Structure formats: structure tokens, C-alpha cells
């Protein structure tokens, strides 16, 4: 983890049912000293030897970014031994990496233990809101806003979580049109989700004529995730703490609230997500990981080219 993530992980440990055994990275060594844990300077070595129940990765850097196949083999081997690997950044970071032999040869159980967190749809309030969908009826349009600070995950992470929710609701889009605004000290739009920072706005078009919009940022002052669903059944609005349903006439139908303890919403959400994964909540990986990563990559590519991109074409080129 980075130095700017120490406070976040301190709060996560306070909330999640976790005991710190080892921590590494620029910030991890500081956290290890604070928690009387063992410093671990090399992530690959830690994953190769650990028997811990879970490894939480705050910032993998270039690890498992597709440049070294040995990294994927290390991740899969740890997962096959029974360790759940929770990362605040997507692993793999691009759909084309799903064709890596180490990933393809892994068992389904092992792949499911490599977890991106926090997923929007796995949050307590969003899970409860999902129970309303059968009664709500068809979804015609979706709007997602997902904001955070860089310590809580990159813009690539926010984009991945949003596209996971979007594809679970409407399937894979046929066109993604995106614009990216880097922060003052951020690089231009990169080729991979791993190096994406700043703000991103995108629209999505689906085969049945449905539409969606997304605004995401890792340069926001505070954590915020929300989704609005529109259809003949009215409007559902959900965030990390509340879900409300209004019918087509504007009348209030139902509401649900979730209490997340503490004054750091991001830490509470991430801790809640880790607990949900380890407690056997609906499995961590998207049902169509290739589609999620291809949709996120389409947004990234569109921001680079200035044209709408088709996730299906990215899947075909990458062989996923």
C-alpha cells in the first residue's frame, strides 16, 4: 500500500473482522509497525508463501498489470492454496489478460478468490435494493455516479466497479463514448485501467435501445456512490446507505436504510465488502468478468480516440 493509504487501512482493520499479520509497501511498513505486524517488502514473495485467509492489496503498482506472466501465476497459486486476494484495483486490469494461461488454467474456485473491492452491487444497501427489481419491472435507463479519493482506489477502480453494476443490470453495451479529464499532476489517458486517474464521464448504448450514463472520479473530496434506475415502474435511487423507490406517478413506494458505523464512509464500505466476501456473500467476481473489463476498456479507449467504442470488438480482438 502507499503512504497515503495508512489511515484508510487503519480504519478498515478497525471495522473488518481482520487481524493484521504482515503489511508491505511504502505505507505498509508504517502500518506493520503500528499494528505489531511483520513488514513484507515484496508482494510476490508474500503471496507465494502466505497461508493467511486473506491478502488485501491497496495499491499493486505494476504487479499483475500484464507485463509479467509470473505475477498471474503467483496470484492464482495463492488462490488455489485457499487465500482470498482482495484488491482495491482490478486484477487482471484488462480483458485481454484473461487469455493468460495462468488465469485460464486456474480452477473456477481459485479465480473467484481473486476479488476486486468494493463492488457497488455487493454493498449492503445495493444488495437490498436489488430485491426490489422483480417488482420494479424493466429497466430502461441507468445513471451511476461513483466518486472517491485516490487513496480509496484509482479512477480505473471506480470505472471497473461501475461497469460491473451496469452490465449486471443491462448486459454488455454496443457502444461506449467517454471523455477523460486528468488531474493537474496526472498523466494523459493511459492504455490500462491501472494508471487511470482524474475524472471520467461516459454514455452507454445497449442493443435494446436502453441507455446509461456514468460519472466517476478519484479526485473527489469525499466518498460517494449512487445509482438511479428509470423504467415503467418509476424511479429507484440508491447509495451506500439508502434505497428509495418512487412509482411512475411520483408516489413513494418503499425505502430501506443501512447503517454503516464510523465517520469514514469509504473505510466502512470497504470493510463491509471484505466481510461480505469472507462471509460467503454472492461471489465476488462478476458473472461475466470479460464483459465488465471489455466495457471498462472501451470507455478507456474511447477517451483516447475521441470516438465511441464497442466492447464486443475489444473482446474479439483480445480473444476473451
Amino acid at each position: 500500500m502507499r503512504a497515503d493509504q495508512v489511515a484508510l487501512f487503519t480504519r478498515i482493520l478497525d471495522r473488518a473482522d481482520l487481524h493484521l499479520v504482515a503489511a508491505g509497501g511504502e505505507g505498509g511498513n508504517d502500518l506493520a509497525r503500528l499494528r505489531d505486524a511483520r513488514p513484507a517488502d515484496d508482494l510476490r514473495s508474500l503471496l507465494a508463501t502466505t497461508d493467511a485467509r486473506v491478502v488485501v492489496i491497496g495499491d499493486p503498482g505494476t504487479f499483475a498489470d500484464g507485463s509479467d506472466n509470473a505475477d498471474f501465476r503467483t496470484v492464482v497459486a495463492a488462490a488455489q492454496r485457499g487465500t482470498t486476494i482482495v484488491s482495491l484495483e482490478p486484477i487482471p486490469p484488462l480483458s485481454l489478460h484473461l487469455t493468460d494461461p495462468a488465469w485460464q488454467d486456474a480452477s473456477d474456485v481459485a479465480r473467484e478468490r481473486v476479488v476486486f473491492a468494493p463492488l457497488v452491487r455487493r454493498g449492503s444497501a445495493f444488495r437490498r435494493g436489488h430485491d426490489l427489481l422483480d417488482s420494479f419491472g424493466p429497466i430502461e435507463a441507468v445513471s451511476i455516479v461513483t466518486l472517491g479519493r485516490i487513496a480509496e482506489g484509482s479512477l480505473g477502480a471506480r470505472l471497473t466497479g461501475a461497469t460491473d453494476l451496469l452490465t449486471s443490470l443491462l448486459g454488455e453495451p454496443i457502444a461506449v463514448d467517454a471523455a477523460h479529464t486528468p488531474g493537474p499532476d496526472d498523466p494523459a489517458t493511459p492504455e490500462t485501467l491501472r494508471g487511470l486517474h482524474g475524472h471520467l464521464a461516459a454514455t452507454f448504448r445497449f442493443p435494446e435501445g436502453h441507455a446509461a450514463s456514468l460519472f466517476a472520479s478519484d479526485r473527489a473530496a469525499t466518498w460517494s456512490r449512487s445509482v438511479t434506475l428509470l423504467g415503467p415502474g418509476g424511479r429507484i435511487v440508491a447509495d451506500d446507505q439508502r434505497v428509495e423507490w418512487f412509482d411512475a406517478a411520483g408516489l413513494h413506494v418503499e425505502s430501506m436504510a443501512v447503517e454503516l458505523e464510523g465517520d469514514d464512509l469509504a473505510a466502512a464500505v470497504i470493510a463491509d465488502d471484505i466481510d461480505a466476501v469472507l462471509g460467503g456473500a454472492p461471489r465476488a467476481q462478476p458473472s461475466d468478468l470479460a464483459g465488465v473489463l471489455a466495457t471498462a476498456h472501451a470507455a478507456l479507449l474511447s477517451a483516447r480516440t475521441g470516438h465511441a467504442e464497442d466492447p464486443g470488438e475489444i473482446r474479439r480482438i483480445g480473444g476473451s
Side-chain angles (χ1 to χ4, degrees):
M1 73 181 67
R2 300 188 310 274
D4 65 337
Q5 295 179 306
V6 173
L8 174 70
F9 271 82
T10 299
R11 296 186 183 104
I12 291 171
L13 287 169
D14 288 340
R15 289 164 172 79
D17 186 19
L18 298 175
H19 171 69
L20 186 66
V21 176
E26 182 183 356
N29 291 332
D30 293 336
L31 185 61
R33 286 191 292 270
L34 289 172
R35 294 287 174 138
D36 295 323
R38 174 172 57 88
D41 291 327
D42 184 76
L43 179 56
R44 183 186 292 176
S45 296
L46 184 148
L47 287 171
T49 59
T50 188
D51 58 359
R53 183 187 182 197
V54 59
V55 173
V56 182
I57 302 174
D59 178 20
T62 59
F63 179 81
D65 66 354
S67 60
D68 189 340
N69 290 351
D71 290 346
F72 288 131
R73 291 195 295 270
T74 301
V75 168
V76 168
Q80 288 176 331
R81 293 196 310 271
T83 296
T84 296
I85 300 161
V86 179
S87 177
L88 300 193
E89 302 294 334
I91 296 176
L94 287 177
S95 59
L96 63 88
H97 298 149
L98 297 177
T99 61
D100 186 280
W103 188 263
Q104 287 195 326
D105 294 343
S107 67
D108 290 342
V109 172
R111 285 194 293 264
E112 287 179 349
R113 290 193 183 117
V114 183
V115 179
F116 167 73
L119 281 183
V120 179
R121 63 174 171 81
R122 205 166 49 227
S124 295
F126 294 103
R127 289 203 309 270
R128 293 189 183 183
H130 191 272
D131 295 338
L132 300 177
L133 294 183
D134 287 341
S135 301
F136 181 75
I139 299 171
E140 295 176 339
V142 176
S143 175
I144 299 173
V145 176
T146 175
L147 311 173
R149 295 171 294 183
I150 191 170
E152 298 149 0
S154 69
L155 177 58
R158 302 284 71 78
L159 175 60
T160 301
T163 53
D164 168 74
L165 175 63
L166 187 59
T167 55
S168 73
L169 292 170
L170 295 177
E172 187 174 301
I174 58 174
V176 182
D177 195 352
H180 172 228
T181 303
D185 300 320
D186 295 329
T189 309
E191 297 182 358
T192 173
L193 295 170
R194 190 67 64 81
L196 185 63
H197 299 287
H199 321 293
L200 184 139
T203 57
F204 304 80
R205 187 167 68 251
F206 295 83
E208 300 81 6
H210 301 149
S213 68
L214 164 68
F215 179 66
S217 177
D218 68 352
R219 289 292 189 262
T222 57
W223 177 271
S224 176
R225 301 188 303 180
S226 63
V227 57
T228 299
L229 311 179
L230 299 177
R235 176 170 66 101
I236 291 178
V237 182
D239 61 27
D240 280 302
Q241 296 176 289
R242 189 171 182 83
V243 181
E244 293 188 294
W245 176 10
F246 300 88
D247 68 16
L251 300 177
H252 188 266
V253 178
E254 191 167 349
S255 64
M256 295 176 285
V258 172
E259 184 175 348
L260 294 173
E261 297 180 359
D263 56 2
D264 187 331
L265 183 57
V269 166
I270 295 169
D272 178 66
D273 201 43
I274 294 172
D275 284 342
V277 169
L278 297 180
R283 288 312 301 170
Q285 287 287 19
S287 57
D288 180 12
L289 180 59
V292 169
L293 290 176
T295 300
H297 191 188
L300 183 68
L301 185 60
S302 173
R304 288 173 59 86
T305 65
H307 304 287
E309 301 290 345
D310 178 4
E313 183 64 21
I314 290 173
R315 295 182 69 164
R316 287 187 288 275
I317 293 173
S320 62

